[in-house]
């Protein structure tokens, strides 16, 4: 039983005619008829009832039609994956990311990814930035898209900057810190601060708190939401709060270090070569960051 025979069988089922099936696949009628007869001889059953130029499925022919369709789908998937491999497209990819960019952007990106590379199996995991370089180093994931550390402390990984994100220290407009003409470092140190929480050395740790009075949460969106609730201040990516800044719900603190740029990019292992999917993702992120920074 050959795939070509199954393909001709399915073409004949769809067109209801050996002649039409032959036209569809660019073969002559005799070739198609002979291939179908050979398939029936090999299986020992009649799959089609021929009546002039028209054919009808027999009972057994009808029962195996869906099986033949599944076999052809699997065969096409195998061919597509092998072709992708030859073209440098990853067949499987494990990605980690932070939530410094809006979920709506990632949702669209996942949609576009599934359309552009339908035969690639891709897993995406969300974690705080401080955890991601270790995940790459331990080969838990192939790469991570995230805010990059400001110091070179990734000796076992390589990383490429794709752009920058403006980080802003903010509080709700009615927070006491926003009533001050100038916010001093001592003011920040005595106010409740929302900071990132991450697992480090198998321990849950608050990441670089400024204040002695802090609440550590896992994601930037959680920090933003806590600020919106009005109980403290935090430093978060501007792309997550732009709408609240515009409507005045949140204000940037009047502190000399309230705004700074932090690099955003991709972390991957020392010996990893980025394939087409990875490079496409990187280009999409780079374009988004360039747009947002202008």
């Amino acid at each position: 039983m050959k795939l070509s025979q199954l393909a001709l069988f399915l073409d004949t089922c769809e067109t209801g005619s050996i002649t039409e099936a032959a036209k569809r696949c660019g073969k002559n009628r005799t070739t198609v008829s002979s291939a179908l007869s050979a398939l029936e001889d090999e299986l020992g059953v009649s799959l089609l009832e021929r009546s002039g130029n028209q054919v009808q499925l027999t009972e057994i022919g009808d029962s195996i039609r869906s099986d033949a369709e599944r076999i052809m789908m699997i065969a096409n998937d195998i061919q597509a994956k092998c072709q992708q491999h030859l073209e440098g497209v990853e067949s499987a990819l494990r990605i980690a990311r932070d939530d410094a960019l809006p979920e709506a952007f990632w949702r669209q990106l996942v949609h576009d990814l599934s359309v552009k590379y339908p035969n690639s199996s891709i897993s995406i995991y969300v974690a705080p930035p401080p955890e991601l370089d270790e995940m790459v180093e331990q080969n838990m994931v192939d790469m991570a898209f995230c805010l990059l550390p400001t110091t070179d402390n990734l000796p076992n990984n390589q990383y490429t900057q794709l752009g920058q994100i403006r980080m802003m220290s903010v509080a709700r407009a009615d927070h006491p810190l926003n009533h001050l003409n100038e916010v001093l470092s001592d003011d920040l140190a005595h106010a409740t601060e929302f900071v990132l929480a991450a697992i480090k050395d198998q321990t849950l740790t608050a990441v670089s708190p400024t204040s002695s009075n802090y609440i550590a949460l896992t994601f930037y969106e959680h920090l933003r939401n806590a600020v919106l609730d009005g109980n403290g201040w935090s430093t978060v990516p501007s792309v997550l709060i732009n709408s609240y800044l515009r409507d005045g719900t949140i204000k940037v603190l009047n502190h000399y270090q309230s705004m700074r740029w932090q690099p955003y990019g991709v972390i991957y292992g020392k010996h990893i070569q980025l394939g087409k999917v990875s490079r496409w993702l990187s280009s999409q992120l780079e374009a988004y960051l360039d747009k947002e920074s202008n």
Side-chain angles (χ1 to χ4, degrees):
M1 181 171 54
K2 299 178 181 177
L3 291 175
S4 59
Q5 292 172 324
L6 291 179
L8 291 174
F9 169 67
L10 292 174
D11 284 338
T12 304
C13 292
E14 291 178 14
T15 61
S17 164
I18 293 177
T19 300
E20 292 303 317
K23 289 180 181 178
R24 174 183 287 190
C25 62
K27 300 180 183 295
N28 63 55
R29 187 185 188 285
T30 302
T31 300
V32 174
S33 182
S34 298
L36 293 173
S37 296
L39 176 62
E40 290 175 318
D41 290 342
E42 182 178 348
L43 296 175
V45 295
S46 294
L47 301 175
L48 302 165
E49 292 181 352
R50 296 163 173 80
S51 176
N53 192 39
Q54 301 300 310
V55 296
Q56 287 187 335
L57 287 169
T58 62
E59 182 179 352
I60 184 63
D62 185 56
S63 70
I64 71 163
R65 179 177 180 176
S66 59
D67 294 324
E69 289 172 342
R70 291 189 188 95
I71 291 173
M72 293 305 301
M73 287 176 61
I74 293 171
N76 290 336
D77 285 344
I78 291 172
Q79 290 177 339
K81 286 181 178 179
C82 290
Q83 184 60 38
Q84 280 196 167
H85 175 74
L86 293 172
E87 294 173 354
V89 177
E90 301 94 327
S91 59
L93 194 60
R94 301 167 301 163
I95 298 169
R97 68 169 179 89
D98 64 10
D99 74 326
L101 302 181
E103 288 302 311
F105 166 75
W106 278 105
R107 182 178 180 181
Q108 183 63 49
L109 194 60
V110 168
H111 170 268
D112 296 344
L113 186 63
S114 67
V115 172
K116 189 172 183 64
Y117 299 105
N119 295 300
S120 293
S121 299
I122 299 172
S123 303
I124 302 178
Y125 182 78
V126 184
E131 296 181 15
L132 299 181
D133 58 309
E134 186 174 348
M135 293 178 69
V136 173
E137 182 180 341
Q138 295 181 357
N139 197 32
M140 297 171 65
V141 297
D142 299 309
M143 64 190 55
F145 294 99
C146 60
L147 286 165
L148 300 175
T150 54
T151 57
D152 186 9
N153 63 349
L154 303 179
N156 297 314
N157 294 320
Q158 54 184 329
Y159 53 99
T160 300
Q161 181 175 327
L162 302 175
Q164 295 189 90
I165 291 180
R166 188 189 292 262
M167 304 296 292
M168 293 183 171
S169 297
V170 297
R172 211 168 76 170
D174 57 1
H175 190 278
L177 287 173
N178 277 319
H179 296 160
L180 301 174
N181 290 329
E182 181 183 3
V183 177
L184 304 178
S185 296
D186 282 346
D187 298 322
L188 297 179
H190 290 92
T192 299
E193 179 185 11
F194 299 110
V195 298
L196 283 179
I199 301 295
K200 186 175 182 180
D201 298 327
Q202 299 183 337
T203 301
L204 182 62
T205 304
V207 180
S208 303
T210 299
S211 173
S212 58
N213 179 23
Y214 63 81
I215 297 176
L217 304 170
T218 313
F219 298 115
Y220 282 116
E221 286 203 348
H222 297 171
L223 302 185
R224 178 202 61 197
N225 294 341
V227 168
L228 287 169
D229 290 339
N231 298 321
W233 69 278
S234 185
T235 301
V236 294
S238 61
V239 289
L240 298 184
I241 58 172
N242 281 332
S243 62
Y244 301 104
L245 291 170
R246 285 192 292 268
D247 67 21
T249 304
I250 289 176
K251 288 187 176 180
V252 179
L253 300 178
N254 190 20
H255 183 264
Y256 77 101
Q257 287 185 328
S258 62
M259 291 191 290
R260 59 181 172 80
W261 290 96
Q262 186 167 342
Y264 189 99
V266 54
I267 305 172
Y268 48 102
K270 285 285 188 183
H271 306 293
I272 296 293
Q273 295 293 324
L274 298 184
K276 281 194 173 181
V277 178
S278 306
R279 294 197 299 272
W280 180 83
L281 280 169
S282 296
S283 69
Q284 298 302 302
L285 286 159
E286 188 172 18
Y288 176 83
L289 292 168
D290 182 63
K291 177 184 175 183
E292 291 297 321
S293 65
N294 293 328

